[in-house]
Amino acid sequence: MTKILPIGVLLGVTAVWWLAASGSTIFPTPPEVLRGIAGLATDGTLLRHVAASLYRVTFGYGVAMLLALPLGILMGWYRTAFTAFNPLVQMLRPISPIAWIPLAILWFGVSDLSPMFLVFLASFFPMVLATTSGVQLVEREYLWAAQNFGITGFKLFTHVIIPGALPTIITGMRVGLGVAWLVVVAAEMVAINSGLGFLIIDSRNAGMRYDLVVAGMVMIGAIGLLLDLVMRRLEDLKEVRWRYARGR
Amino acid sequence: MTTEGKRIDMAQGMDMSGLPMAGMPGMTAPTVDADSIAARVPQIARYVRYSGWPELKEAMVAGKVKAAMMLAPMVMDLAAKGVPVKVVALGHRSGAVIMVRKEAPYKSFADLKGKRIAIPSRFAVDHIFVRKLMAAHGLKDGDLTMVELAPPDMPAALLADAVDAYATGEPFGAKAEMDGYARVLYMTRDVWPTYICCVLAVRQELIDQQPETVQRLVDHVLAAGRWLETSPEHRTTAARIASDRSMFNQTFELIKWVMERPPDRVTYGDLRLIRAEFDELMRLSLDAKIIDRPIPYHTYVDESFMKHAHPVVISPPAQ
C-alpha cells in the first residue's frame, strides 16, 4: 500500500497533465518531455547539466549549513546574539536570489561561485531560523536535569542542547535543501553553459523547446525527491526519533 | 499626432482596440510617444513592455499579444514550428555594439582571442554579430568563451572584469560608455550597417481579421522611422519620450546618447523587407545553431503591408 499509493498519485497527475497539454502550443505532453530527456541523455548533456547543478547546490548548501548551524545555536541560546542578529536575518531572508544577481556578478564574476553564492543565500536563512527555534524550544526539564547532574559549558551543548534541538534542526536542513534546489533556476541565470537551471533558461530562449523546459523541471523534481529520501533517513536515527509522537 | 489628427504611438506599443503589442525595454526600436494625450485620442494598440525575450515570445505564442517587436530569428523559428506569426516590417537597423574596458589594449576583434565575451543568449542576433566578427578575423569556435548574461547585467560584469567584452543591443553598451569605464570596439554601423535585429511581427489572425489595423501599424512604424531620420532634433524628442517610465524607463541622457553618438548608431530610415538579407540572416542563424533547419522566406514574412505602405506624417506633441 505504501508503495502503490504514491505511484498511483504520480500516475494520476501525469494523466491529468497529458490531458491538459494535448492541443497546447507551448505546454508539452509527457511523451514529448520523455523524448526530450532521452535526447539529452543520448548526447551526454543531461549528465553534464545534472552534475553541474549537483555540484553548485551541494557546495552552496554545504557552506550554508556550516555557517547556519553554529549561528542558529548561538542565536537560540544567547539572548544577546538573538537580539543582535535576528533583525538582520529577518531583513535578508525574504530577498529573492534574483535581486542578488548583479551583486553576485560584481563579487564573484561569471563563474560557478556566483550560482553557489545564490544557493547559499537562499538555503542559509531557513536553516538559521530552524536551528534557532530548535534550541529555544529545548524543554526546561532537560536543562534542570542537566544542572542537577552538574553538566555545564560545552558538555551541556553537546549532550543536552544539540540533541534536544536536533529534530527541529533536521527539519530545517530538509527545508534548506528544498530551497537550494528551488532557486537553482534563478542561480544558474549566471551560469556558463551548464546546469538544469541553465537548461531551462536556455530552452526558453530557444524558439520552441518547451519539452526541454519541462524536462529540466522534471529532473529537478526527481533529484529533489531522491535527496529528500536521503535526508529523511536522518530522521530515522535514534538521536532524532525520540521526538516523534507518531511513526511513519 | 498624425495628419488625420489622431494620436499614434510608434513601434513598441499602442492602444485602441484592446490589441496588446509588446516590446523589449531599452531595446532599439523607433519610438515616438507620450502618455499625456493617450487618454484623449484613439490609439492603434496598447503598449506592453516585457523584461525578457522568452516572456514576450510566450505571450505571442499563446496569442495574448498580437503584435510585437521581436528578434528576427525567433520569428523564423516560431513560424517554422507552426506558430501563426509573420514579419510585416523591420523595427530598426544596426544598433548592436561590442564593448570593452576603456583601458583594455584590444584594437581589433582578433585581440579577443582566448577572452570571455558576454552575449544576451545564444539565440540572440548579437550572437550572430559576434560570429560574423569571429569569421572576419579568423577566430574559430573555441577561440572565444561566450558567456550568456542578461544585457542589464553586462556593464557590471565588464566593470568587475568578469568578462573581457560584451555584445548587446543598445542602450546597454552606451550605459557603460557613458559611465566612463568602457569603450566601443565595434558597432554594427561600421561593419554591418544593414544589421537586422528586431522586426515587427504580427499574429496571422490579426492579419486575417483586421488587415487595416496591421496596415496602420506598419504605416506608423515607417512614419516614425522616417521622422526620426529627418532631423537631429527629432531624435532628441524621441529620447525624451522613450525615457518615460511607462516606455523604456531609461534615463533621457542615455537614450539621447544612443540616438546621437553617432546619429547612425541605430538607424530607422530603411525598414524595407529585403529577401536576400533575410535569407542571409537565416543562413547565419542556421550556422549559429539558432534554428535547426533552413526556413523559406515566405514561411515567416508577409510583404503585402510594406508594399501598400503609406507613411503618415508625424508631429509629436511639443515637449
Side-chain angles (χ1 to χ4, degrees):
Chain A
M1 193 64 183
T2 50
K3 284 215 169 72
I4 300 169
L5 210 55
I7 294 174
V9 169
L10 281 178
L11 286 178
V13 170
T14 311
V16 173
W17 162 18
W18 201 331
L19 275 176
S22 313
S24 160
T25 26
I26 290 189
F27 200 20
T29 58
E32 285 166 351
V33 172
L34 279 179
R35 271 198 296 277
I37 296 179
L40 291 175
T42 40
D43 68 14
T45 42
L46 184 66
L47 196 64
R48 191 164 62 89
H49 290 313
V50 170
S53 288
L54 267 175
Y55 169 58
R56 293 176 190 135
V57 169
T58 308
F59 195 89
Y61 173 74
V63 175
M65 200 161 66
L66 285 179
L67 296 178
L69 300 193
L71 180 66
I73 291 171
L74 279 180
M75 281 173 64
W77 188 247
Y78 297 107
R79 190 80 214 160
T80 334
F82 184 82
T83 316
F85 289 110
N86 190 52
L88 181 68
V89 168
Q90 299 306 336
M91 269 176 76
L92 295 177
R93 199 162 69 93
I95 300 171
S96 157
I98 293 184
W100 287 98
I101 286 178
L103 285 170
I105 292 175
L106 212 56
W107 292 336
F108 301 103
V110 184
S111 64
D112 279 341
L113 276 180
S114 280
M116 282 167 179
F117 169 68
L118 298 172
V119 167
F120 161 82
L121 272 180
S123 53
F124 177 72
F125 296 109
M127 288 196 281
V128 171
L129 217 65
T131 312
T132 306
S133 76
V135 172
Q136 284 171 340
L137 289 174
V138 172
E139 280 87 343
R140 249 184 218 105
E141 288 78 7
Y142 301 150
L143 299 177
W144 287 335
Q147 264 176 3
N148 288 343
F149 285 108
I151 298 172
T152 52
F154 189 63
K155 208 170 178 189
L156 185 69
F157 272 99
T158 52
H159 282 67
V160 181
I161 298 167
I162 293 176
L166 206 54
T168 324
I169 294 178
I170 290 198
T171 307
M173 284 165 59
R174 275 178 67 189
V175 173
L177 188 60
V179 174
W181 279 95
L182 186 71
V183 300
V184 84
V185 177
E188 288 181 340
M189 283 172 106
V190 273
I192 308 166
N193 304 336
S194 64
L196 292 167
F198 171 83
L199 171 69
I200 290 176
I201 296 160
D202 188 54
S203 308
R204 278 189 72 204
N205 278 325
M208 289 291 279
R209 288 317 302 268
Y210 291 95
D211 54 333
L212 296 186
V213 172
V214 180
M217 291 162 72
V218 168
M219 291 310 298
I220 291 176
I223 293 173
L225 176 68
L226 282 176
L227 288 175
D228 194 58
L229 285 177
V230 174
M231 291 296 274
R232 285 182 69 170
R233 297 291 289 271
L234 289 177
E235 290 181 351
D236 291 336
L237 298 172
K238 69 176 191 318
E239 285 80 1
V240 179
R241 231 17 284 150
W242 62 271
R243 196 68 175 259
Y244 289 82
R246 286 169 63 95
R248 275 188 285 118
Chain B
M1 296 255 191
T2 68
T3 42
E4 312 101 85
K6 283 184 181 169
R7 158 90 190 134
I8 323 244
D9 305 347
M10 292 310 131
Q12 294 210 335
M14 311 152 208
D15 192 20
M16 173 185 140
S17 47
L19 167 76
M21 170 160 173
M24 278 284 284
M27 284 296 160
T28 37
T31 311
V32 176
D33 181 31
D35 47 351
S36 56
I37 27 167
R40 277 194 274 131
V41 278
Q43 291 182 304
I44 302 175
R46 181 164 57 88
Y47 169 74
V48 187
R49 188 179 71 198
Y50 282 73
S51 332
W53 291 114
E55 292 80 5
L56 191 158
K57 177 188 64 181
E58 283 149 15
M60 191 76 171
V61 170
K64 308 282 184 212
V65 162
K66 304 290 184 198
M69 282 292 174
M70 284 175 85
L71 296 170
M74 197 180 254
V75 185
M76 290 178 193
D77 194 44
L78 292 185
K81 287 186 174 139
V83 181
V85 288
K86 287 274 163 66
V87 177
V88 293
L90 296 191
H92 64 92
R93 284 180 189 272
S94 196
V97 284
I98 309 280
M99 303 298 298
V100 294
R101 283 292 288 265
K102 203 172 187 176
E103 68 281 4
Y106 319 125
K107 286 196 174 64
S108 111
F109 200 81
D111 299 333
L112 289 175
K113 189 172 178 171
K115 305 290 179 191
R116 307 209 319 168
I117 184 165
I119 55 171
S121 112
R122 62 195 176 97
F123 301 98
V125 197
D126 315 81
H127 179 202
I128 296 181
F129 181 36
V130 168
R131 291 183 65 91
K132 200 163 169 129
L133 286 168
M134 284 171 74
H137 291 86
L139 299 190
K140 290 182 193 59
D141 287 355
D143 281 348
L144 265 184
T145 307
M146 288 193 222
V147 180
E148 293 172 60
L149 272 184
D153 292 331
M154 288 182 182
L158 186 72
L159 183 63
D161 288 323
V163 291
D164 303 292
Y166 67 83
T168 185
E170 293 292 10
F172 302 105
K175 175 90 180 61
E177 194 185 2
M178 209 169 112
D179 291 343
Y181 55 84
R183 65 182 165 89
V184 176
L185 189 64
Y186 287 96
M187 282 189 195
T188 38
R189 76 180 272 270
D190 300 317
V191 285
W192 191 1
T194 57
Y195 177 83
I196 297 170
C197 167
C198 296
V199 292
L200 178 60
V202 232
R203 281 189 60 100
Q204 189 63 45
E205 67 262 25
L206 191 69
I207 294 177
D208 296 340
Q209 292 157 13
Q210 300 183 40
E212 67 294 339
T213 305
V214 179
Q215 189 64 61
R216 284 181 68 200
L217 212 51
V218 171
D219 288 351
H220 284 92
V221 167
L222 288 184
R226 194 168 285 186
W227 175 82
L228 273 165
E229 300 296 356
T230 43
S231 152
E233 286 158 31
H234 289 175
R235 285 188 165 243
T236 315
T237 310
R240 187 161 287 122
I241 294 166
S243 61
D244 190 85
R245 204 175 290 267
S246 67
M247 298 294 290
F248 288 172
N249 195 20
Q250 301 282 351
T251 64
F252 164 64
E253 291 73 21
L254 180 62
I255 300 184
K256 192 170 172 334
W257 188 294
V258 174
M259 289 282 104
E260 296 172 1
R261 295 190 184 206
D264 59 350
R265 193 168 180 136
V266 192
T267 59
Y268 304 98
D270 177 11
L271 301 184
R272 285 173 303 156
L273 298 168
I274 298 169
R275 182 175 180 156
E277 288 178 357
F278 273 99
D279 283 343
E280 196 211 350
L281 190 64
M282 193 273 292
R283 196 183 47 72
L284 291 168
S285 304
L286 198 62
D287 181 49
K289 296 193 174 67
I290 292 176
I291 51 176
D292 52 13
R293 68 206 130 135
I295 302 169
Y297 180 68
H298 285 292
T299 319
Y300 61 89
V301 177
D302 185 334
E303 290 176 331
S304 60
F305 298 98
M306 278 302 279
K307 281 189 180 138
H308 300 110
H310 294 288
V312 286
V313 177
I314 290 184
S315 56
Q319 294 292 307

